[in-house]
Amino acid sequence: IFSVSFSATATEEPSVLYLSLHILKPANDTLVERPPYYPIYKELSPEQKWLYWEFLSEPFSPKHNIGYVFLFYYGLERHLAFGNIDQAFDIILKLRKNYNNNSFQLYTAQALVLTCIAKQRADLALKFMESEPSSIPMRYLILLKYTFQMLLTAAEIIKNYQYFTFGNNRYIKSQPELFLKTLSNFMERDFHSSALEVNRLFPVDIANLPVEHERVFANISLRDYEISIPVFENSKLTEKILSLLTETH
């Protein structure tokens, strides 16, 4: 169902550590310019290189500039594609818990989800969802549910209420526990479970859905690594969940 394409380019891996390059301890860390967007190790100033090595000595401390986190992450992406996928996956999950940067969260969530799909790793998909149940964009989460035949929970539905075209979040915000309990009760009434077996209850032929090409990684040296994924459409699922959310409200 999912196809992956990769064409090699001459772009150099940005996270390569050149040990012959000069590094210099800065007199004052706060006076060192922030690393640029899409940082490359060999292009950092001597002071920036020093700060990057400091980051490498304690990478899970949130005190570091996010540019150094991205530089380290680029190497982890290469492992997702060609190396030790399991260890890289675990390190990325740990970084996500310590660096709540919007761009970092978005790029890493996309890479982790698409890697699970491309490699057909249901175990890693489950690990991601169990460690961070509310952090996966719904367009990816729903694909994981269908691809690996996983349950869609009431909490996930509420978290992604806008995806199901429900617009009134008044009680989702003011009465979250009651809203979850009520929705769960309605799901038990209709499906005998507070978590939906979407593949069985709302089947869809993923192979016949329209597809779009997604870049998997932020690393510029892996920019040609793409996956063709379905643009998910299931009107029956959307209409039923919208009805349940409206009734719950």
Side-chain angles (χ1 to χ4, degrees):
I1 298 174
F2 304 100
S3 63
V4 180
S5 63
F6 177 74
S7 57
T9 67
T11 306
E12 187 176 5
E13 167 59 49
S15 64
V16 171
L17 299 175
Y18 291 89
L19 301 183
S20 60
L21 296 180
H22 182 56
I23 67 172
L24 179 66
K25 183 177 181 179
N28 187 329
D29 292 358
T30 61
L31 298 180
V32 179
E33 186 178 0
R34 297 168 57 133
Y37 208 68
Y38 292 110
I40 298 173
Y41 177 78
K42 71 176 183 179
E43 295 181 2
L44 297 179
S45 70
E47 292 83 3
Q48 289 172 331
K49 290 186 180 72
W50 178 283
L51 293 180
Y52 182 57
W53 280 95
E54 278 199 336
F55 161 80
L56 291 176
S57 71
E58 46 177 357
F60 304 114
S61 171
K63 68 179 182 179
H64 301 289
N65 183 276
I66 196 64
Y68 301 121
V69 185
F70 265 107
L71 184 55
F72 178 57
Y73 167 65
Y74 294 156
L76 296 173
E77 284 190 326
R78 185 163 288 279
H79 274 283
L80 290 181
F82 309 113
N84 190 332
I85 180 175
D86 294 88
Q87 187 174 5
F89 205 96
D90 289 342
I91 293 173
I92 293 169
L93 289 180
K94 192 170 181 180
L95 288 171
R96 285 174 57 84
K97 291 182 182 300
N98 288 279
Y99 295 95
N100 190 28
N101 173 273
N102 289 337
S103 294
F104 186 71
Q105 292 290 319
L106 178 63
Y107 279 117
T108 53
Q110 176 175 296
L112 293 180
V113 168
L114 295 182
T115 295
C116 290
I117 292 175
K119 306 286 188 179
Q120 286 295 287
R121 291 290 302 269
D123 58 326
L124 294 181
L126 184 61
K127 177 183 287 189
F128 190 10
M129 286 187 283
E130 288 178 343
S131 67
E132 303 180 54
S134 64
S135 67
I136 305 175
M138 188 60 186
R139 63 189 296 261
Y140 295 134
L141 179 64
I142 199 70
L143 279 177
L144 288 178
K145 299 294 184 178
Y146 272 89
T147 301
F148 299 117
Q149 300 185 18
M150 296 175 174
L151 301 179
L152 181 64
T153 68
E156 289 168 337
I157 290 172
I158 294 172
K159 165 68 177 176
N160 298 281
Y161 68 90
Q162 292 175 313
Y163 177 87
F164 300 103
T165 69
F166 182 71
N168 195 335
N169 65 1
R170 176 182 177 185
Y171 297 119
I172 290 176
K173 288 188 172 182
S174 65
Q175 302 282 346
E177 293 182 2
L178 180 58
F179 200 96
L180 175 61
K181 180 180 179 181
T182 306
L183 176 61
S184 298
N185 288 340
F186 286 143
M187 291 170 66
E188 290 277 1
R189 177 198 67 193
D190 291 355
F191 305 111
H192 308 292
S193 173
S194 60
L196 301 182
E197 296 180 70
V198 289
N199 297 70
R200 181 178 65 83
L201 296 170
F202 301 95
V204 61
D205 186 359
I206 293 182
N208 287 327
L209 291 176
V211 299
E212 62 183 9
H213 301 288
E214 291 263 0
R215 280 185 57 187
V216 181
F217 303 120
N219 186 330
I220 59 173
S221 72
L222 297 173
R223 60 188 172 190
D224 294 326
Y225 197 99
E226 295 184 342
I227 181 173
S228 299
I229 64 170
V231 179
F232 186 82
E233 296 176 357
N234 191 330
S235 59
K236 290 183 179 180
L237 173 66
T238 301
E239 290 168 5
K240 179 57 181 177
I241 292 182
L242 175 59
S243 174
L244 287 171
L245 288 169
T246 303
E247 186 177 9
T248 301
H249 178 83

